């Protein structure tokens, strides 16, 4: 059977009416191997899980291109692990461990850039153990 596509940080779904966008914030493991991201870095699943929960508890804001004021907030967050996938009876790419989010972006200009694909990906910025979420 063909392998499912590798999950990426591309924005996967947009709800125009509600100004919502969804996608993988970060994929830590795919096919049982730790993923090295476009910056040549990786985040171990346990660290990603801790950071994801901390971010939703204490921050939730979405920035634009890692600068300026927040332009939205996280409204959905799932740290997907093989155990959770099994409990939900869903199939994910083999050995995939990652953080899936949904964002509300009320700003019309920023949302238009997400909708058009100008901002097609999500990136997380780590600073001394903290994470900032961006659309870029």
């Amino acid at each position: 059977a063909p392998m499912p596509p590798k999950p990426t940080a591309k924005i996967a779904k947009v709800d125009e009416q509600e100004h919502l966008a969804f996608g993988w914030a970060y994929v830590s493991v795919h096919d049982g191997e730790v993923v090295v991201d476009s910056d040549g870095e990786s985040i171990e699943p346990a660290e990603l899980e801790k950071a994801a929960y901390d971010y939703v508890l204490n921050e939730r804001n979405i920035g634009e291109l890692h600068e300026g004021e927040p332009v939205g907030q996280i409204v959905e967050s799932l740290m997907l692990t093989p155990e959770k996938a099994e409990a939900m009876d869903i199939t994910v790419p083999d050995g995939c461990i990652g953080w899936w989010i949904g964002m509300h972006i009320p700003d019309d200009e920023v949302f238009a850039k997400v909708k058009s694909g100008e901002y097609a990906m999500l990136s997380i910025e780590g600073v001394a153990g903290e994470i900032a979420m961006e659309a870029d």
Side-chain angles (χ1 to χ4, degrees), residues 7-56:
T8 69
K10 283 196 178 350
I11 291 171
K13 180 182 184 302
V14 172
D15 179 327
E16 292 187 35
Q17 197 166 350
E18 300 296 328
H19 275 228
L20 298 171
F22 301 87
W24 290 104
Y26 198 90
V27 175
S28 183
V29 172
H30 182 258
D31 277 344
E33 294 187 20
V34 174
V35 173
V36 177
D37 64 25
S38 58
D39 293 325
E41 297 170 348
S42 59
I43 303 175
E44 291 293 330
E47 286 300 308
L48 181 63
E49 189 165 20
K50 183 173 180 274
Y53 299 152
D54 182 68
Y55 195 80
V56 171

Coordinates of all heavy atoms in Angstrom, one line a residue, residues 7-56:
P7 N 3.2 14.5 6.9 CA 2.5 15.7 7.3 C 3.5 16.9 7.3 O 4.7 16.7 7.6 CB 2.1 15.3 8.8 CG 2.9 14.2 9.1 CD 3.3 13.5 7.9
T8 N 3.1 18.0 6.9 CA 4.0 19.2 6.9 C 3.3 20.3 7.7 O 2.1 20.2 8.0 CB 4.2 19.7 5.5 OG1 3.0 20.2 4.9 CG2 4.7 18.6 4.6
A9 N 4.0 21.4 7.8 CA 3.4 22.6 8.6 C 2.6 23.5 7.6 O 2.4 24.6 8.0 CB 4.6 23.4 9.2
K10 N 2.2 23.0 6.5 CA 1.4 23.8 5.6 C 0.0 23.9 6.2 O -0.5 23.0 6.8 CB 1.3 23.1 4.2 CG 2.5 23.3 3.3 CD 2.2 23.0 1.9 CE 3.2 23.2 0.9 NZ 4.4 23.8 1.2
I11 N -0.7 25.0 6.0 CA -2.0 25.2 6.4 C -2.9 24.3 5.6 O -2.9 24.3 4.4 CB -2.4 26.7 6.3 CG1 -1.7 27.5 7.4 CG2 -3.9 26.9 6.5 CD1 -1.8 29.0 7.3
A12 N -3.7 23.5 6.3 CA -4.4 22.4 5.7 C -5.9 22.7 5.3 O -6.5 22.2 4.4 CB -4.4 21.1 6.5
K13 N -6.5 23.6 6.1 CA -7.9 23.9 5.9 C -8.2 25.3 6.4 O -7.6 25.8 7.3 CB -8.8 22.9 6.8 CG -10.3 23.1 6.6 CD -11.0 22.2 7.5 CE -12.5 22.3 7.4 NZ -13.1 23.6 7.6
V14 N -9.1 26.0 5.6 CA -9.4 27.4 5.9 C -10.9 27.5 5.9 O -11.6 27.0 5.0 CB -8.8 28.4 4.9 CG1 -9.3 29.8 5.1 CG2 -7.3 28.3 5.0
D15 N -11.5 28.1 6.9 CA -12.9 28.4 7.0 C -13.1 29.9 6.8 O -12.8 30.6 7.8 CB -13.5 27.9 8.3 CG -15.0 28.2 8.5 OD1 -15.5 29.2 7.9 OD2 -15.7 27.4 9.1
E16 N -13.5 30.3 5.6 CA -13.5 31.7 5.3 C -14.5 32.5 6.1 O -14.3 33.6 6.6 CB -13.8 31.9 3.8 CG -12.7 31.4 2.9 CD -12.9 31.8 1.4 OE1 -13.5 32.8 1.2 OE2 -12.5 31.0 0.6
Q17 N -15.7 31.9 6.3 CA -16.7 32.6 7.0 C -16.4 32.9 8.5 O -16.6 34.0 9.0 CB -18.0 31.8 7.0 CG -19.3 32.6 7.3 CD -20.5 31.9 7.0 OE1 -20.5 30.8 6.3 NE2 -21.6 32.4 7.4
E18 N -15.7 31.9 9.1 CA -15.4 32.1 10.6 C -13.9 32.6 10.8 O -13.5 32.7 11.9 CB -15.6 30.7 11.3 CG -17.0 30.2 11.2 CD -18.0 31.0 11.9 OE1 -17.6 31.7 12.9 OE2 -19.1 31.1 11.5
H19 N -13.2 32.8 9.7 CA -11.8 33.3 9.8 C -10.9 32.3 10.6 O -10.2 32.6 11.5 CB -11.7 34.7 10.5 CG -11.9 35.8 9.5 ND1 -11.0 36.8 9.5 CD2 -12.8 36.0 8.5 CE1 -11.4 37.7 8.5 NE2 -12.5 37.2 7.9
L20 N -11.1 31.0 10.3 CA -10.3 29.9 10.9 C -9.4 29.3 10.0 O -9.7 29.2 8.8 CB -11.3 28.9 11.5 CG -12.3 29.3 12.5 CD1 -13.3 28.2 12.8 CD2 -11.6 29.7 13.8
A21 N -8.2 28.9 10.5 CA -7.2 28.1 9.7 C -6.7 27.0 10.5 O -6.5 27.2 11.8 CB -6.1 29.0 9.2
F22 N -6.4 25.9 9.9 CA -6.0 24.7 10.6 C -4.8 24.1 10.0 O -4.6 24.1 8.8 CB -7.1 23.6 10.6 CG -8.4 24.1 11.3 CD1 -9.3 24.8 10.5 CD2 -8.6 23.9 12.6 CE1 -10.5 25.2 11.1 CE2 -9.8 24.4 13.2 CZ -10.8 25.0 12.4
G23 N -3.9 23.5 10.8 CA -2.8 22.8 10.2 C -1.9 22.3 11.3 O -2.1 22.5 12.5
W24 N -0.8 21.6 10.9 CA 0.2 21.1 11.8 C 1.1 22.2 12.2 O 1.7 22.9 11.4 CB 1.1 20.0 11.2 CG 0.4 18.7 10.9 CD1 0.0 18.3 9.7 CD2 0.1 17.7 11.9 NE1 -0.6 17.0 9.8 CE2 -0.5 16.6 11.2 CE3 0.3 17.6 13.2 CZ2 -0.9 15.5 11.8 CZ3 -0.1 16.4 13.9 CH2 -0.7 15.4 13.1
A25 N 1.2 22.5 13.5 CA 2.1 23.5 14.0 C 3.5 23.0 14.0 O 4.4 23.7 13.6 CB 1.7 23.9 15.5
Y26 N 3.6 21.7 14.2 CA 4.9 21.0 14.2 C 4.7 19.5 14.2 O 3.9 19.0 14.9 CB 5.8 21.4 15.4 CG 7.2 21.2 15.3 CD1 8.1 22.2 14.7 CD2 7.8 20.0 15.6 CE1 9.4 22.0 14.6 CE2 9.2 19.7 15.5 CZ 10.0 20.7 14.9 OH 11.3 20.5 14.8
V27 N 5.5 18.9 13.4 CA 5.6 17.4 13.4 C 6.9 17.0 13.9 O 8.0 17.3 13.4 CB 5.3 16.8 12.0 CG1 5.5 15.3 12.0 CG2 4.0 17.2 11.5
S28 N 6.9 16.3 15.0 CA 8.1 15.9 15.7 C 8.7 14.6 15.2 O 9.9 14.4 15.0 CB 7.8 15.8 17.2 OG 9.0 15.4 17.9
V29 N 7.8 13.6 14.9 CA 8.2 12.3 14.5 C 7.4 11.8 13.3 O 6.2 12.0 13.3 CB 8.1 11.2 15.6 CG1 8.4 9.8 15.1 CG2 9.1 11.6 16.7
H30 N 8.0 11.3 12.2 CA 7.3 10.7 11.1 C 8.0 9.5 10.7 O 9.2 9.4 10.7 CB 7.2 11.7 9.9 CG 6.4 11.1 8.8 ND1 7.0 10.6 7.7 CD2 5.1 11.0 8.6 CE1 6.1 10.2 6.9 NE2 4.9 10.4 7.4
D31 N 7.2 8.4 10.4 CA 7.8 7.1 10.1 C 8.8 6.6 11.2 O 9.8 6.0 10.9 CB 8.5 7.1 8.8 CG 7.6 7.0 7.6 OD1 6.4 6.5 7.8 OD2 8.0 7.3 6.5
G32 N 8.5 7.0 12.4 CA 9.3 6.5 13.5 C 10.6 7.3 13.7 O 11.4 6.9 14.6
E33 N 10.8 8.3 12.9 CA 12.1 9.0 13.0 C 11.8 10.5 13.3 O 10.9 11.1 12.8 CB 12.9 9.0 11.7 CG 13.3 7.6 11.3 CD 14.2 7.5 10.1 OE1 14.8 8.6 9.7 OE2 14.4 6.4 9.5
V34 N 12.7 11.0 14.2 CA 12.6 12.5 14.5 C 12.8 13.3 13.3 O 13.7 13.1 12.5 CB 13.6 12.8 15.6 CG1 13.6 14.3 15.9 CG2 13.3 12.1 16.9
V35 N 11.9 14.3 13.1 CA 11.9 15.1 11.9 C 12.9 16.3 12.1 O 12.8 16.9 13.2 CB 10.5 15.7 11.6 CG1 10.5 16.7 10.5 CG2 9.5 14.5 11.2
V36 N 13.7 16.5 11.1 CA 14.6 17.7 11.2 C 13.9 18.8 10.3 O 13.6 18.6 9.1 CB 16.0 17.4 10.6 CG1 16.8 18.7 10.6 CG2 16.7 16.4 11.4
D37 N 13.6 20.0 10.9 CA 12.8 21.0 10.2 C 13.6 21.8 9.3 O 14.8 21.6 9.1 CB 12.0 21.8 11.3 CG 12.9 22.6 12.2 OD1 14.1 22.9 11.8 OD2 12.4 23.0 13.3
S38 N 13.0 22.8 8.7 CA 13.7 23.6 7.7 C 14.8 24.5 8.2 O 15.7 24.9 7.5 CB 12.6 24.5 6.9 OG 12.0 25.4 7.9
D39 N 14.8 24.6 9.6 CA 15.9 25.3 10.2 C 17.0 24.4 10.7 O 17.9 24.8 11.4 CB 15.4 26.1 11.4 CG 14.5 27.3 11.0 OD1 14.7 27.9 10.0 OD2 13.5 27.5 11.8
G40 N 16.9 23.1 10.3 CA 17.9 22.1 10.7 C 17.7 21.7 12.2 O 18.7 21.2 12.8
E41 N 16.6 22.0 12.8 CA 16.4 21.7 14.2 C 15.3 20.6 14.3 O 14.5 20.3 13.4 CB 15.9 22.9 14.9 CG 17.0 24.0 14.9 CD 16.6 25.3 15.4 OE1 15.4 25.5 15.6 OE2 17.5 26.2 15.6
S42 N 15.2 20.0 15.5 CA 14.2 19.0 15.8 C 13.7 19.2 17.2 O 14.4 19.8 18.0 CB 14.7 17.6 15.6 OG 15.8 17.4 16.4
I43 N 12.5 18.8 17.5 CA 12.0 18.8 18.9 C 11.5 17.4 19.2 O 10.7 16.8 18.5 CB 10.8 19.8 19.0 CG1 11.2 21.2 18.5 CG2 10.2 19.9 20.4 CD1 10.0 22.2 18.5
E44 N 12.0 16.9 20.3 CA 11.6 15.6 20.8 C 10.2 15.6 21.2 O 9.7 16.7 21.7 CB 12.5 15.2 22.0 CG 13.9 14.9 21.7 CD 14.1 13.6 20.8 OE1 13.3 12.7 20.9 OE2 15.1 13.6 20.0
P45 N 9.4 14.5 21.0 CA 8.0 14.5 21.3 C 7.6 15.0 22.7 O 6.7 15.8 22.8 CB 7.6 13.0 21.0 CG 8.6 12.6 20.0 CD 9.9 13.3 20.3
A46 N 8.4 14.5 23.7 CA 8.0 14.9 25.1 C 8.2 16.4 25.3 O 7.4 17.0 26.0 CB 8.9 14.2 26.1
E47 N 9.2 17.0 24.6 CA 9.4 18.5 24.7 C 8.3 19.2 24.0 O 7.8 20.2 24.5 CB 10.8 18.9 24.2 CG 11.9 18.5 25.1 CD 11.8 19.2 26.5 OE1 11.7 20.4 26.5 OE2 11.9 18.4 27.5
L48 N 8.0 18.7 22.8 CA 6.9 19.4 22.0 C 5.6 19.3 22.8 O 4.8 20.3 22.9 CB 6.7 18.7 20.7 CG 5.7 19.3 19.8 CD1 6.0 20.7 19.4 CD2 5.5 18.4 18.5
E49 N 5.3 18.2 23.4 CA 4.0 18.0 24.1 C 4.0 19.0 25.3 O 3.0 19.7 25.5 CB 3.9 16.6 24.6 CG 2.5 16.3 25.2 CD 2.3 14.8 25.4 OE1 3.2 14.0 25.4 OE2 1.1 14.4 25.5
K50 N 5.1 19.1 26.0 CA 5.1 20.0 27.2 C 5.0 21.5 26.7 O 4.2 22.2 27.3 CB 6.5 19.8 27.9 CG 6.7 20.7 29.1 CD 8.0 20.3 29.8 CE 8.3 21.1 31.0 NZ 8.9 22.3 30.8
A51 N 5.6 21.8 25.6 CA 5.6 23.2 25.1 C 4.2 23.5 24.6 O 3.7 24.6 24.8 CB 6.6 23.4 24.0
A52 N 3.5 22.5 23.9 CA 2.2 22.7 23.3 C 1.2 23.0 24.5 O 0.4 24.0 24.4 CB 1.7 21.5 22.5
Y53 N 1.2 22.2 25.5 CA 0.3 22.4 26.6 C 0.5 23.8 27.3 O -0.4 24.5 27.7 CB 0.4 21.3 27.6 CG 0.0 19.9 27.1 CD1 0.5 18.8 27.6 CD2 -0.9 19.8 26.0 CE1 0.2 17.5 27.1 CE2 -1.2 18.6 25.4 CZ -0.6 17.4 26.0 OH -0.9 16.2 25.5
D54 N 1.8 24.1 27.5 CA 2.2 25.3 28.2 C 1.7 26.5 27.3 O 1.2 27.5 27.9 CB 3.7 25.4 28.4 CG 4.1 26.6 29.1 OD1 3.7 26.8 30.3 OD2 4.8 27.5 28.5
Y55 N 1.9 26.4 26.0 CA 1.5 27.5 25.1 C 0.0 27.7 25.2 O -0.5 28.9 25.2 CB 1.9 27.2 23.7 CG 1.9 28.4 22.8 CD1 2.9 29.3 22.8 CD2 0.8 28.6 22.0 CE1 2.8 30.4 22.0 CE2 0.7 29.7 21.2 CZ 1.8 30.6 21.2 OH 1.7 31.8 20.5
V56 N -0.8 26.7 25.2 CA -2.3 26.8 25.2 C -2.7 27.4 26.6 O -3.6 28.2 26.6 CB -3.0 25.5 24.8 CG1 -4.5 25.6 25.1 CG2 -2.7 25.2 23.4

